[in-house]
Amino acid sequence: MKAESQHDHRPSATAPAARPPALPVYVAYDISDRRRRNCLRRLLLGFGEPVQESVFLCLHTRTSATTPLPFC
């Protein structure tokens, strides 16, 4: 008699779709104009977290690559 596995590793119909893997991307900038620098900072806050004053760590996915960026 063959012992049956207690865990079924097949995806179920109710399981949520797997997310695509995110690629960590560092964004660094050196902008002297305060208005443009603050605009870029606000934009990057929507995509990642600040690591230093002008360095962000963003998670790049296939979906974020097709998201249109607003003008500052």
Side-chain angles (χ1 to χ4, degrees), residues 14-56:
T14 59
R19 289 185 168 195
L23 177 68
V25 177
Y26 284 94
V27 179
Y29 56 91
D30 184 18
I31 301 174
S32 60
D33 182 18
R34 180 177 47 103
R35 183 172 162 232
R36 292 181 71 196
R37 184 177 57 244
N38 288 338
C39 180
L40 181 61
R41 179 175 177 77
R42 284 191 307 271
L43 178 71
L44 289 174
L45 282 171
F47 289 93
E49 60 185 40
V51 178
Q52 289 184 351
E53 186 68 27
S54 58
V55 179
F56 277 76

Side-chain angles (χ1 to χ4, degrees), residues 46-67:
F47 289 93
E49 60 185 40
V51 178
Q52 289 184 351
E53 186 68 27
S54 58
V55 179
F56 277 76
L57 174 60
C58 302
L59 295 177
H60 178 72
T61 61
R62 187 179 308 246
T63 308
S64 67
T66 60
T67 304

Side-chain angles (χ1 to χ4, degrees), residues 1-24:
M1 181 173 182
K2 184 178 177 182
E4 292 186 27
S5 173
Q6 292 184 3
H7 301 289
D8 187 7
H9 297 288
R10 292 175 288 174
S12 67
T14 59
R19 289 185 168 195
L23 177 68

